[in-house]
Amino acid sequence: MAIASGAIVLLILLFLIWETLPILQIIGLARFFNDPAWHPTSEEFNLVPMLWGTLFVTVGSILIATPIGILSAVFCHYYAPKAIANLYRRAIELLAGIPSVVYGFWGLVVLVPIIGRIHPPGPSLLTGILILTLMILPTITLVADASLASVPSEYLRGCASCGLGRWATVRGVVFPAAKSGLITGVILATGRAIGETMAVLMVCGNVVQTPKDIFEPVRTLTANIALEMAYAVGNHRAALFVTGLVLMVMIIALVIAAELLNKGHIYEQ
Amino acid sequence: MKYKTPYPELLSTAIIWAIAASVTGALLWLLSDVFWHGMSQVNWEFLTQSPSNAGREGGIAPIIVSTALIVGVCLVVSIPLGVGTAVLIAEFAANKSILGRLVRLSLDVLAGVPSIVFGLFGNAFFCKTLGMGFSILSGGLTLACMVLPILIRSTQEGFRAVPDDYRRSAAALGVSRIATLWELLLPAAMPGVAVGLLLGLGRAIAETAALIFTSGYVDRMPESLWDSGRSLSVHIYDLAMNVSGGEANAYASALVLVSFLVLINSAISWLAQRFRQSKILVV
Amino acid sequence: MTKQITTNTGNPPSIQTDQLSLFYARKSAFKDVTLSIKSGSITALIGPSGCGKTSFLTCLNRLTELTPNCQISGRILLGDQNLQTLNVISLRRRVGMLFQKPNPFPLSIIRNIEFPLREHGVRNREEIDHIIEVALQDVGLWDEVKDRLKTPALSLSGGQQQRLCLARAIALKPDVLLMDEPCSALDPLSSEVVEDLITKLRLKYTVIVVTHNLAQAKRIADHVAVFWFQDGAGKLIESGSVAQIFESPQHTLTAAYVTGRTG
């Protein structure tokens, strides 16, 4: 049974490769990075703008969501009275439970017009980053919450007995002690940000271009698949599977990075 | 005597409370927006009629049925498989064996696979290779693959929360492994399983990207699991992006979807709480 | 083996509790404890488990405030100041604590001492290095760890960890030290080293030690306070010098306890 569960990954990889093998054999992998543009129906397959799109959206949202998420967990454990902490946890769980399509829809009808008034057109990298921040926040918070909960109370009593305040305790002892858990949360969230489809599809504008500022529309790798899969045939369809394969490679790299990081020493020097 | 709090302490306290307030604010903004706009549309007719005019008018009855069927297929397949795998990994397989490590690594990867890639896989495997076509079955099975790592991982987390002492003292008392599992470990792991269910169910109901190319777009009432069915989330997506003037019904559908989720979330966390308490009191 | 303790040069305060009681929610931990602790002395708190000794100890640095629903009545004087109205952060700097289980932070050895120091406003690198060296020498740890100050503190042995915790406490230049069974989690040899250290703290610090080891109390303490569980709460039944308590106890329970007949 365990093997069956693990084998699903292999099955997914197998199918992605199987679907992409013909196109990779005919035109090679290099053309996905060197072609002049993405016009799959006229055999031009440049994925680079979409790669940038995914990268920018992910990095932007991680940069905002990491401090907010971790401090949210800190709030629950060390700042809020118990009743408020429990309510806040419920709120975060609720945030985690809201479907990405609802985030996307809300972003489309509420955030996009607001951003559009600040700087047209509205559907943009920035909107994507904001929506995605909200979506990956619970992942970071809930994982951080669990790892803060496992910080031994002796440390906390030790800190108190040295006359340390809350923040000093959190920064100096709790963070180092919970480091691997916190990082794991961020890595999970990164994976989620890279893989998120519907919300970014609905608020990012989906123009195939490398954005020059945060108000320009972008298309991510995931959006690329979702937009074109419905009518893609032949090489076009295979090219979309290549996009999926690229996503898979990114995720696998991330998981391996997490493995290596978690193995590293967790003590601050 | 008033005591002086150091400056960084004051600043951090202010920032942390402000963060908590703004996150709560964002959540309330989103929820109240959906509630406000959706409420004026949702009524008995909306829930019991079929959509017409590409969804601009009419209700969502067939869509609710399709969603339930898809999620049902997903859970029926994934719960036993997920909890079973977690038990095997956590309790019976040596953690450091190569097989155990490989399974864990592949689960980590599986947990990170983007839903759209599950969509590609489901499309290629269930729809094409296994010949299920665009169907509720394809969609449900695709979702099952997706939900599996969530279930396994949080069940495992629950097990890990059980101190080794329990296991050792149970073993020392001559309690069998199965009995230990049932009486001590499962109750202790319940919060983990419940969180997994919560996240898994949430993810299944919420999922859109993996369903577009597996269970399809058809908004008629499904007659069997082999029919194509449009899930609520796909319906919202379609109304918002492809149907001009679909916004009102999109809001209404979003309200229904979010209500389902809130309801399920609450029910599960309540259940988990109760189950844990009763077990601990009895044991 | 170790030199005299050099860190602290001040005048340690006396401590006086007056009708001190502590409740956890509705459960009483101890009741009406009136005890005076002499400046610069070592006082041992003895008595059977669950009679409120540790709870009493944690009142003296207000660690009780970490426990929700914890209520104190009565008065504690630290020197001539009311302990309950002092700034809690500076109070805990003045009143250091050593726990039953050594609890170094999951940081490097040097950061364990440096970090609380920095938080209390000591920023000068040379000053910090000096304080760390003196503190580690005072606890006899310097020679053992000076070449690996940057290794994790949790890699030290139990006895070394406990001495590091003591160094961490005395680096803050406290004048009172609270110890909750500081040797009970250590092996006999480490225990002896720590015990030896405690006796060197006499005169420089006011030391209060909770211990279950009567021989240890007899060896290290000047004064002894005996706690007992009576009428649903911990009580102080007798206090006095070591000689008084061990040789001519007034209370029958004390007599029975110190001769090993009960408790």
Side-chain angles (χ1 to χ4, degrees):
Chain A
M1 196 148 55
I3 297 170
S5 312
I8 293 176
V9 174
L10 293 181
L11 210 59
I12 291 177
L13 269 176
L14 206 74
F15 267 90
L16 285 179
I17 293 171
W18 192 50
E19 293 274 345
T20 54
L21 215 53
I23 193 171
L24 288 180
Q25 274 172 343
I26 298 165
I27 70 164
L29 193 63
R31 277 194 50 198
F32 286 92
F33 302 96
N34 296 333
D35 268 4
W38 172 263
H39 289 301
T41 40
S42 18
E43 302 282 306
E44 289 184 349
F45 301 111
N46 188 357
L47 285 176
V48 173
M50 272 85 89
L51 267 171
W52 282 120
T54 293
L55 187 75
F56 287 144
V57 172
T58 304
V59 170
S61 57
I62 282 291
L63 283 182
I64 307 176
T66 299
I68 296 183
I70 290 179
L71 291 179
S72 286
V74 167
F75 172 77
C76 285
H77 275 275
Y78 304 108
Y79 284 81
K82 214 171 172 193
I84 294 185
N86 283 338
L87 268 178
Y88 191 67
R89 260 188 211 111
R90 282 290 293 146
I92 296 284
E93 281 170 10
L94 211 58
L95 214 52
I98 292 177
S100 63
V101 71
V102 172
Y103 278 111
F105 176 60
W106 181 71
L108 185 68
V109 294
V110 176
L111 274 192
V112 165
I114 294 175
I115 303 281
R117 243 171 284 145
I118 300 169
H119 192 300
S124 61
L125 178 58
L126 178 64
T127 332
I129 288 175
L130 290 179
I131 283 291
L132 215 46
T133 298
L134 216 51
M135 294 183 62
I136 61 177
L137 184 71
T139 309
I140 299 183
T141 308
L142 293 174
V143 177
D145 191 56
S147 60
L148 292 190
S150 65
V151 172
S153 64
E154 289 107 74
Y155 295 164
L156 306 180
R157 284 191 298 152
C159 285
S161 76
C162 288
L164 300 176
R166 281 177 223 257
W167 180 241
T169 305
V170 168
R171 193 175 50 88
V173 173
V174 171
F175 281 167
K179 204 162 157 192
S180 69
L182 300 180
I183 293 176
T184 309
V186 173
I187 289 176
L188 284 178
T190 309
R192 196 158 174 215
I194 290 178
E196 178 47 42
T197 310
M198 300 321 287
V200 291
L201 172 67
M202 292 167 88
V203 301
C204 283
N206 302 322
V207 180
V208 184
Q209 60 175 1
T210 307
K212 285 169 205 69
D213 63 54
I214 52 168
F215 292 104
E216 285 194 359
V218 292
R219 181 188 288 194
T220 62
L221 291 169
T222 50
N224 193 40
I225 302 175
L227 281 167
E228 302 188 358
M229 189 63 191
Y231 60 88
V233 285
N235 269 354
H236 185 186
R237 180 180 147 93
L240 294 180
F241 274 86
V242 172
T243 317
L245 199 60
V246 171
L247 281 167
M248 262 313 260
V249 170
M250 289 167 100
I251 294 298
I252 291 174
L254 216 56
V255 168
I256 290 173
E259 272 278 303
L260 294 178
L261 259 168
N262 269 335
K263 266 209 205 104
H265 54 117
I266 54 167
Y267 303 111
E268 199 188 324
Q269 286 302 305
Chain B
M1 196 163 76
K2 245 188 99 181
Y3 61 68
K4 203 178 93 236
T5 313
Y7 178 66
E9 293 288 332
L10 284 178
L11 188 69
S12 62
T13 305
I15 289 175
I16 285 169
W17 277 90
I19 281 176
S22 31
V23 171
T24 315
L27 173 70
L28 289 181
W29 185 8
L30 194 160
L31 285 182
S32 61
D33 186 69
V34 169
F35 186 79
W36 198 251
H37 289 92
M39 211 46 210
S40 52
Q41 301 293 318
V42 176
N43 49 35
W44 186 244
E45 280 73 42
F46 182 74
L47 295 177
T48 50
Q49 282 178 358
S50 289
S52 56
N53 192 9
R56 287 181 196 91
E57 288 153 35
I60 52 168
I63 286 149
I64 292 178
V65 172
S66 302
T67 309
L69 288 176
I70 294 169
V71 171
V73 169
C74 159
L75 291 184
V76 163
V77 175
S78 63
I79 289 178
L81 203 58
V83 175
T85 307
V87 169
L88 280 183
I89 297 175
E91 295 300 322
F92 292 93
N95 250 356
K96 287 190 180 102
S97 73
I98 293 178
L99 188 69
R101 270 187 67 96
L102 267 181
V103 169
R104 214 171 42 243
L105 194 74
S106 58
L107 283 176
D108 282 350
V109 173
L110 196 60
V113 174
S115 53
I116 190 80
V117 173
F118 276 105
L120 287 178
F121 164 72
N123 180 274
F125 184 56
F126 296 118
C127 301
K128 292 218 157 149
T129 307
L130 295 187
M132 296 176 187
F134 279 4
S135 68
I136 286 169
L137 205 55
S138 302
L141 290 175
T142 308
L143 286 191
C145 299
M146 224 176 105
V147 163
L148 202 57
I150 302 175
L151 271 171
I152 296 175
R153 181 172 298 178
S154 40
T155 310
Q156 273 180 325
E157 284 304 313
F159 284 136
R160 217 166 289 151
V162 181
D164 264 348
D165 291 357
Y166 281 20
R167 268 165 251 200
R168 271 197 296 268
S169 52
L173 290 169
V175 180
S176 79
R177 239 174 167 184
I178 300 289
T180 311
L181 189 75
W182 198 249
E183 288 297 322
L184 278 172
L185 303 180
L186 273 184
M190 259 320 275
V193 178
V195 170
L197 253 181
L198 188 143
L199 294 174
L201 197 67
R203 212 170 152 189
I205 292 198
E207 189 44 47
T208 316
L211 291 178
I212 300 180
F213 320 120
T214 54
S215 64
Y217 267 96
V218 176
D219 61 5
R220 280 190 311 273
M221 184 63 84
E223 275 155 20
S224 77
L225 294 181
W226 299 90
D227 272 359
S228 166
R230 181 192 279 204
S231 79
L232 255 178
S233 51
V234 172
H235 190 55
I236 297 168
Y237 166 66
D238 196 52
L239 286 179
M241 295 290 279
N242 305 334
V243 179
S244 63
E247 207 175 273
N249 270 358
Y251 259 123
S253 310
L255 177 61
V256 173
L257 184 56
V258 170
S259 312
F260 271 142
L261 278 165
V262 172
L263 221 69
I264 289 163
N265 278 9
S266 313
I268 288 175
S269 60
W270 178 77
L271 249 162
Q273 193 80 28
R274 251 182 69 100
F275 185 70
R276 194 171 31 159
Q277 273 169 3
S278 66
K279 265 289 181 184
I280 282 175
L281 285 179
V282 170
V283 169
Chain C
M1 187 196 81
T2 47
K3 293 179 291 181
Q4 275 304 308
I5 301 284
T6 53
T7 323
N8 165 300
T9 51
N11 266 332
S14 62
I15 296 171
Q16 170 75 48
T17 69
D18 191 15
Q19 299 283 309
L20 189 68
S21 305
L22 178 74
F23 299 89
Y24 295 117
R26 282 204 199 120
K27 209 175 136 266
S28 167
F30 62 83
K31 232 175 164 173
D32 296 334
V33 173
T34 301
L35 176 66
S36 74
I37 292 161
K38 291 205 172 62
S39 152
S41 68
I42 298 178
T43 303
L45 308 183
I46 62 171
S49 306
C51 59
K53 304 185 299 294
T54 299
S55 301
F56 177 78
L57 204 63
T58 52
C59 288
L60 302 181
N61 65 350
R62 286 169 48 194
L63 222 54
T64 46
E65 285 168 20
L66 293 186
T67 318
N69 299 323
C70 191
Q71 278 194 319
I72 291 184
S73 71
R75 212 160 62 118
I76 312 171
L77 285 179
L78 181 68
D80 52 7
Q81 291 166 302
N82 183 346
L83 190 142
Q84 272 125 316
T85 57
L86 290 171
N87 170 356
V88 69
I89 286 183
S90 60
L91 167 73
R92 286 180 186 157
R93 189 181 172 177
R94 263 186 88 183
V95 182
M97 185 161 183
L98 213 53
F99 296 85
Q100 180 172 10
K101 194 172 155 231
N103 60 348
F105 301 135
L107 311 171
S108 66
I109 295 173
I110 189 168
R111 279 283 291 158
N112 255 279
I113 307 177
E114 178 186 351
F115 157 63
L117 269 178
R118 274 188 187 278
E119 290 303 323
H120 285 291
V122 185
R123 304 277 150 141
N124 183 307
R125 186 75 245 172
E126 281 172 24
E127 196 187 344
I128 289 174
D129 286 342
H130 177 71
I131 295 176
I132 290 174
E133 187 176 337
V134 172
L136 286 174
Q137 271 173 348
D138 278 351
V139 299
L141 207 54
W142 178 252
D143 290 330
E144 292 166 48
V145 301
K146 68 179 177 210
D147 300 323
R148 48 179 180 132
L149 288 173
K150 296 206 164 149
T151 53
L154 295 176
S155 68
L156 295 172
S157 75
Q160 288 173 321
Q161 288 189 12
Q162 192 65 305
R163 281 186 283 154
L164 179 63
C165 292
L166 181 60
R168 181 175 75 191
I170 64 178
L172 295 172
K173 297 196 188 346
D175 39 30
V176 179
L177 283 171
L178 311 176
M179 303 187 183
D180 184 8
E181 301 183 48
C183 301
S184 65
L186 307 181
D187 63 84
L189 279 178
S190 314
S191 170
E192 201 176 305
V193 174
V194 172
E195 207 181 292
D196 191 40
L197 275 170
I198 298 172
T199 58
K200 294 202 165 84
L201 299 167
R202 183 177 280 127
L203 300 179
K204 300 252 156 102
Y205 302 87
T206 304
V207 180
I208 302 158
V209 189
V210 169
T211 179
H212 279 124
N213 183 337
L214 294 175
Q216 185 182 56
K218 216 167 174 175
R219 280 195 300 270
I220 63 175
D222 306 308
H223 300 275
V224 178
V226 186
F227 280 69
W228 208 268
F229 190 79
Q230 279 182 330
D231 312 325
K235 295 264 174 65
L236 174 70
I237 56 170
E238 186 170 1
S239 69
S241 71
V242 176
Q244 270 171 11
I245 297 291
F246 283 98
E247 277 144 36
S248 53
Q250 303 298 305
H251 202 291
T252 48
L253 282 170
T254 312
Y257 185 64
V258 298
T259 51
R261 272 175 288 152
T262 183

